[in-house]
Amino acid sequence: MKEKFLILSLCLLVSFALAAQTGNTRSYTVKGQVVDSLSNESVPYATVRIALANAPEQPAKLLACDENGKFETSLPAAGEYIVSLQSIGMISGESRFILTEDKATVDLGQLSMKEDLQLLGEVTVSAQKPLVKMEVDKLTYNIEEDPDAKVNNMLDMLRKVPLITIDGNDNIQLKGSSSYKIYINGKPSNMFNNNPGDVLKSMPASSVKDIEVITDPGAKYDAEGVSGIINIITTQNLLQGYTGTIRASGSLLGRFSVSPYLSAKIGKLGLTGTYTYSYSQSPWNDSEYTRESFVDDTQKYLEQSGRNKSKGPYNYGYLEASYEFDTLNLLNVGVNLYNGRPKSFSELGVSMSDINRNPVYAYNRYTEQKMIYGSTNINVDYQHSTQKKGELLTISYRLSDSPDGGKSFSEMKDIQEYDYDLFYKPWSAYPQRTNNDAVTNEHTGQVDYVTPLFQGHTLETGVKYILRQNKSETERTRYDESTGEWIDYTADDSHFKHRQHIYSGYLGYSFRVSKFSIKGGVRAEGTALDVKFSRNPELNFDTDYFDIVPNATFAYQINQAHQLRLGYNMRIYRPGIWYLNPYVNDADPQNISYGNPNLKSEHSNSVNLNYSMFTMKFNMNASLSYSFVNDAIESYTFIDPDRPGVTHRTYDNIGKRKQFSGFLYASWTPVQAFRVFMNAGVYYMDYESQSLNITNDGLFAYLYGGMQYNLPKDFRIHLNAMYYSPQKTLQGEYSSMHYLNASLQKDFLNKNMTVSLNFMDPFQKSRKSQMTTTDPNFVIKSNSFYRSRDITLSISYKFGNLKEQIKKVQRSITNDDVVGSSGGGSTGGQGTTM
């Protein structure tokens, strides 16, 4: 740890020193105001480009005026400058001025622009974008402006985004919650259902334009939704012709991937596609597990130690087509595919002893699993606009098919049974085979309409219908040594169908008056639920419920660089298939898990206060949040008195959860070649379950920070570090975690090819993850060890030179109503262990 902080400190000191040496001792300033030549009214947010007269192609400054058309900026040196003005609907203007040692400040006064009365086909405005910007209901991180995006994957880039945290095991949280959705270009993608970390690691950041963090979903999003949305917007820079990128990477730990990306436009047709093949082969990772029972003296101490590894391919890709019939009618069609077929192997030594530490039984367990999961999504969106600017009608359809199951084989060897009369013998059902076939199928239709009423006021409304069908069928057999045959012992609840009819309508309204923006709405949503068990119809049930869900966001634009925002949101979370699926996963017979088909939706209320400040050199976003849930879906662990040697894990609406949290993101760029940043958060979590008679609370904090420095000859160095404090859960605690990452990058071939060498945890061979679960009847401690030290070589090459942007519909279907089958949900331990 000392070595890590020493290296980090030295790098920062050297970089600050270099930055200081490049500073100027004299300050030069220019200011002015952009106005309309006819009305003499200000032109808000006009783009100002300032360049030396002897080098007009290289801008010294790019900035935007404030809402009053005013600007003021510093310049690096004296000399003659050209200032160029641009604004949509206005004719570009130009002026010259001179800065000298004696005249270090120039006030240009009012700079006039004339209205462009000609009809324009397409207008391109060039300006330097801020790395982070705030809007009334979301935060946007500009990936294209971050040099790390040339070689990093999307998981690495997400670590930098405010309000997002990623731990050492690649688990993603948004504002401290795992209830979120990941979208691609405004549409949900089931390829993030099970292992979003794996998918994002194989997605090149060079193919992404922006990351939007929607923390206050409005009325147009499903009421039964999530606490936030991570929307990944891919690059779509196209003119007639094509452009593309190909990226390949490999690591010492056995991971490699290749990712081609291609965009093309032919007349009115635009196409964008990407495909990634990734193969991961993890080394053996060790694990330890101990459980002490307080209710059974015979099976008092359970101890397990072993190792596991996995290998297998992951594939994902998407193809999007856009066709402009004319200026008012647009059609988008997208196909999104993802699948994973990994295999895992585990070896585990198990021993049980009584209160006096005398052995009760022992055995070795060997398991092979093949997991099958993925998704196929087809989206069709038709958008009709009118001569009224901003008025849109969108009609959308979405088909989604998501298989999720697998096969497993387990056997016991070296069984030792001592002189105890055991009611339950873990090895009695082994060897065993399990085959689980699970799938979620969705059909969604949606109509959206948005129209400006008058200046600054917008009305939006829409209706939506979802038919969602979940199915799971599990076949189980065990080997009977006496007959030499495989015997079927499939449970009655193993064939399960879950159908939902979801219908909704929403009405939203937003307006801006001077510096104030208000966005609010209400959504009405009903659900008809039907659950059937084909092998045991007595378990069938159905239910209906209806909810009215409000939301509101208030924003105050203090000035161009500062914004204050207050939001309230009510959300409802439906359980996903692996929360509902009653299939019993007993690959480890001492620790079994299953879902609960009787789960109800949970209701969450949250209030958020956000302050943002974004300037050319310093960006900051700070927020405070409070949320509470009274019918939370919680995972919990218990021991059945009839089987005291077995730990059960399932879900129920048993919890009350309160969360107070604060977040801080800051980025400082004192000179163009150097940047430091930090992303930090602190939470106070309060859990309560009256049915289990359990309470727990505590603080959790994280800090992620780093620096990047651009060296001569297109070399770049990056250094990143992260620390997580211990984190409380309803029944226990996760241990703290830290890591260090360093990389060296070099551009070649006129910056079209980039080579990166990345060092992960150079001072730490393995990372330890510890979890403690406490209960009045038992205490469990489990340790997992993961190989963390790694070296990755990445090569990225881009080709093509295209400019114009493909048009895409502004509204589309977003099904964000499910917990446990989204990017942020847990699979519940069932779906990926067959």
Side-chain angles (χ1 to χ4, degrees):
M1 176 65 74
K2 292 181 179 179
E3 294 176 80
K4 298 178 187 178
F5 284 111
L6 177 60
I7 291 176
L8 177 60
S9 301
L10 288 174
C11 290
L12 289 174
L13 288 173
V14 170
S15 300
F16 278 124
L18 291 173
Q21 292 175 9
T22 61
N24 293 292
T25 58
R26 185 67 187 270
S27 175
Y28 299 90
T29 304
V30 61
K31 59 184 177 179
Q33 183 183 24
V34 183
V35 298
D36 189 308
S37 61
L38 294 179
S39 64
N40 207 37
E41 294 181 352
S42 62
V43 179
Y45 309 114
T47 300
V48 180
R49 183 183 187 273
I50 303 174
L52 285 166
N54 57 7
E57 71 283 353
Q58 296 292 332
K61 278 294 173 69
L62 283 169
L63 69 153
C65 300
D66 62 17
E67 66 273 14
N68 297 315
K70 295 182 179 180
F71 67 92
E72 181 174 350
T73 186
S74 61
L75 291 170
E80 183 179 1
Y81 288 88
I82 299 174
V83 55
S84 302
L85 308 176
Q86 287 182 324
S87 182
I88 295 177
M90 310 292 287
I91 299 176
S92 299
E94 186 175 289
S95 181
R96 290 174 178 253
F97 65 92
I98 297 175
L99 291 170
T100 65
E101 293 288 337
D102 297 331
K103 190 178 180 181
T105 300
V106 171
D107 187 349
L108 300 176
Q110 291 186 341
L111 301 174
S112 298
M113 297 187 73
K114 294 182 179 180
E115 185 178 357
D116 191 352
L117 300 179
Q118 297 182 1
L119 293 176
L120 298 180
E122 303 211 5
V123 178
T124 301
V125 179
S126 300
Q128 182 174 342
K129 298 180 180 179
L131 197 62
V132 181
K133 69 175 182 178
M134 286 295 304
E135 298 177 54
V136 67
D137 60 347
K138 66 184 178 183
L139 174 150
T140 302
Y141 189 94
N142 190 342
I143 291 292
E144 287 185 322
E145 292 296 311
D146 193 324
D148 282 352
K150 292 184 177 181
V151 293
N152 280 0
N153 58 58
M154 276 306 303
L155 189 69
D156 291 332
M157 298 306 297
L158 276 180
R159 300 182 194 275
K160 298 184 175 186
V161 178
L163 309 180
I164 296 176
T165 59
I166 304 172
D167 66 18
N169 296 326
D170 297 336
N171 297 312
I172 305 168
Q173 289 188 326
L174 175 59
K175 296 180 65 177
S177 171
S178 295
S179 296
Y180 61 88
K181 267 286 192 180
I182 298 179
Y183 289 174
I184 294 290
N185 296 322
K187 304 179 182 70
S189 173
N190 289 341
M191 69 183 181
F192 298 107
N193 280 6
N194 291 290
N195 296 287
D198 289 338
V199 178
L200 292 167
K201 277 192 291 188
S202 60
M203 179 183 291
S206 58
S207 65
V208 173
K209 178 177 179 288
D210 291 313
I211 298 176
E212 294 180 344
V213 181
I214 303 172
T215 55
D216 293 292
K220 70 177 181 179
Y221 296 98
D222 290 334
E224 292 85 350
V226 289
S227 57
I229 295 167
I230 302 171
N231 186 24
I232 298 173
I233 301 175
T234 58
T235 55
Q236 301 284 340
N237 295 321
L238 302 174
L239 199 61
Q240 302 300 319
Y242 68 93
T243 184
T245 303
I246 186 167
R247 180 178 183 270
S249 66
S251 80
L252 293 182
L253 289 183
R255 292 187 292 265
F256 71 87
S257 66
V258 58
S259 303
Y261 167 85
L262 184 66
S263 296
K265 191 174 184 184
I266 306 169
K268 296 182 177 182
L269 176 66
L271 298 172
T272 301
T274 186
Y275 170 75
T276 295
Y277 176 85
S278 178
Y279 189 91
S280 177
Q281 181 168 323
S282 71
W284 286 104
N285 294 308
D286 297 328
S287 63
E288 301 170 347
Y289 175 98
T290 62
R291 184 185 71 216
E292 180 181 359
S293 173
F294 303 137
V295 296
D296 188 282
D297 291 342
T298 299
Q299 301 185 62
K300 176 75 172 177
Y301 300 104
L302 173 65
E303 295 178 315
Q304 298 179 335
S305 62
R307 59 179 188 166
N308 63 82
K309 68 175 181 178
S310 63
K311 63 179 182 180
Y314 303 87
N315 300 267
Y316 87 87
Y318 66 85
L319 177 64
E320 294 182 333
S322 175
Y323 186 81
E324 297 178 64
F325 297 97
D326 51 45
T327 57
L328 301 179
N329 296 279
L330 176 65
L331 178 69
N332 284 167
V333 179
V335 180
N336 188 310
L337 303 172
Y338 170 68
N339 69 75
R341 298 293 186 268
K343 294 181 180 179
S344 64
F345 308 87
S346 66
E347 302 174 355
L348 197 67
V350 181
S351 65
M352 180 72 77
S353 57
D354 63 17
I355 191 171
N356 297 315
R357 290 288 183 177
N358 297 315
V360 177
Y361 60 80
Y363 60 85
N364 294 323
R365 178 171 61 86
Y366 302 88
T367 301
E368 296 182 10
Q369 303 171 340
K370 182 179 181 180
M371 293 161 275
I372 302 173
Y373 52 82
S375 67
T376 301
N377 301 315
I378 299 175
N379 292 275
V380 180
D381 302 290
Y382 168 72
Q383 176 181 287
H384 173 71
S385 55
T386 69
Q387 298 295 339
K388 183 179 180 181
K389 184 179 179 181
E391 185 175 33
L392 296 173
L393 173 67
T394 308
I395 303 173
S396 304
Y397 169 75
R398 180 174 185 251
L399 168 65
S400 176
D401 185 77
S402 305
D404 202 337
K407 300 178 179 179
S408 72
F409 171 76
S410 298
E411 61 179 335
M412 309 292 195
K413 294 183 178 180
D414 307 318
I415 300 172
Q416 301 178 43
E417 183 179 4
Y418 297 90
D419 189 20
Y420 286 89
D421 184 17
L422 299 176
F423 174 76
Y424 170 73
K425 297 182 180 181
W427 54 87
S428 60
Y430 290 81
Q432 71 168 234
R433 292 173 179 167
T434 303
N435 184 8
N436 179 245
D437 178 18
V439 66
T440 297
N441 182 274
E442 288 183 352
H443 295 271
T444 307
Q446 180 173 311
V447 178
D448 295 285
Y449 175 71
V450 57
T451 181
L453 299 180
F454 42 92
Q455 185 175 6
H457 294 247
T458 301
L459 176 71
E460 59 181 4
T461 186
V463 293
K464 182 177 183 179
Y465 169 74
I466 305 174
L467 170 61
R468 177 177 294 129
Q469 302 172 94
N470 297 319
K471 184 194 76 170
S472 176
E473 295 182 353
T474 304
E475 306 293 337
R476 312 184 67 174
T477 58
R478 65 179 179 85
Y479 185 72
D480 189 335
E481 293 185 354
S482 62
T483 62
E485 297 179 350
W486 287 91
I487 301 174
D488 178 75
Y489 74 114
T490 302
D492 285 346
D493 60 1
S494 61
H495 287 213
F496 151 85
K497 290 185 179 180
H498 180 275
R499 175 176 293 187
Q500 291 177 333
H501 298 273
I502 305 164
Y503 49 93
S504 60
Y506 72 89
L507 182 67
Y509 192 83
S510 61
F511 65 91
R512 180 184 178 93
V513 179
S514 184
K515 297 183 177 182
F516 290 92
S517 297
I518 299 178
K519 185 174 184 178
V522 63
R523 188 179 186 96
E525 190 151 339
T527 302
L529 176 66
D530 183 30
V531 180
K532 294 186 181 299
F533 297 85
S534 60
R535 293 174 65 97
N536 187 358
E538 293 183 0
L539 298 175
N540 296 351
F541 67 93
D542 58 78
T543 186
D544 298 270
Y545 46 90
F546 184 83
D547 293 285
I548 300 293
V549 180
N551 69 86
T553 304
F554 306 88
Y556 176 66
Q557 193 79 28
I558 302 172
N559 55 42
Q560 183 184 358
H562 302 261
Q563 185 195 59
L564 194 64
R565 181 163 56 98
L566 177 66
Y568 163 76
N569 230 299
M570 177 182 175
R571 311 299 288 171
I572 304 171
Y573 307 106
R574 290 191 184 94
I577 184 172
W578 293 116
Y579 281 65
L580 298 164
N581 192 348
Y583 159 68
V584 178
N585 174 18
D586 59 354
D588 180 355
Q590 267 78 33
N591 297 280
I592 66 175
S593 58
Y594 45 89
N596 178 3
N598 297 298
L599 286 175
K600 300 177 182 178
S601 297
E602 69 173 45
H603 297 66
S604 172
N605 294 268
S606 64
V607 179
N608 307 286
L609 178 63
N610 184 281
Y611 168 75
S612 59
M613 180 183 73
F614 301 116
T615 66
M616 296 297 291
K617 290 187 176 182
F618 184 74
N619 295 337
M620 185 186 76
N621 179 264
S623 64
L624 296 174
S625 177
Y626 170 69
S627 64
F628 65 92
V629 182
N630 291 325
D631 50 3
I633 300 173
E634 294 286 351
S635 168
Y636 71 101
T637 303
F638 68 95
I639 291 179
D640 185 347
D642 294 334
R643 298 171 67 182
V646 180
T647 300
H648 299 244
R649 183 167 70 90
T650 187
Y651 306 89
D652 209 342
N653 298 90
I654 57 173
K656 290 186 177 182
R657 183 174 63 242
K658 300 176 184 177
Q659 178 177 304
F660 300 87
S661 53
F663 307 92
L664 177 63
Y665 167 84
S667 172
W668 181 46
T669 309
V671 293
Q672 186 175 2
F674 176 71
R675 183 170 77 94
V676 292
F677 68 93
M678 63 166 290
N679 199 356
V682 59
Y683 311 82
Y684 172 73
M685 314 287 289
D686 187 351
Y687 301 92
E688 179 185 358
S689 173
Q690 294 181 351
S691 61
L692 298 178
N693 194 26
I694 295 175
T695 60
N696 201 5
D697 67 290
L699 286 172
F700 164 68
Y702 71 90
L703 174 63
Y704 177 72
M707 55 147 286
Q708 57 190 47
Y709 190 77
N710 297 335
L711 300 170
K713 299 186 181 298
D714 295 325
F715 279 96
R716 295 181 298 278
I717 58 173
H718 305 258
L719 186 65
N720 303 313
M722 174 169 275
Y723 171 77
Y724 286 87
S725 72
Q727 182 177 2
K728 299 288 186 179
T729 65
L730 175 63
Q731 287 183 281
E733 181 178 84
Y734 289 99
S735 62
S736 62
M737 189 175 296
H738 64 272
Y739 72 85
L740 179 71
N741 182 50
S743 66
L744 176 65
Q745 300 173 5
K746 173 73 169 75
D747 293 333
F748 299 92
L749 304 178
N750 196 27
K751 296 188 178 182
N752 286 323
M753 185 174 76
T754 303
V755 178
S756 175
L757 195 61
N758 185 76
F759 303 89
M760 173 62 76
D761 270 344
F763 305 108
Q764 182 176 249
K765 181 178 180 180
S766 297
R767 186 180 302 132
K768 178 181 178 181
S769 176
Q770 181 175 342
M771 183 177 70
T772 303
T773 303
T774 59
D775 185 86
N777 298 321
F778 61 86
V779 60
I780 296 173
K781 294 183 179 180
S782 61
N783 298 320
S784 299
F785 301 88
Y786 304 94
R787 285 285 298 275
S788 57
R789 183 185 298 163
D790 196 12
I791 300 177
T792 301
L793 176 65
S794 302
I795 301 175
S796 176
Y797 177 74
K798 64 179 180 179
F799 52 92
N801 184 22
L802 307 175
K803 300 177 181 178
E804 185 186 335
Q805 189 176 41
I806 282 183
K807 290 186 178 180
K808 300 178 66 176
V809 299
Q810 299 181 29
R811 298 288 174 112
S812 184
I813 288 174
T814 54
N815 291 347
D816 49 23
D817 62 311
V818 179
V819 174
S821 60
S822 67
S826 167
T827 59
Q830 287 90 284
T832 60
T833 58
M834 265 67 17

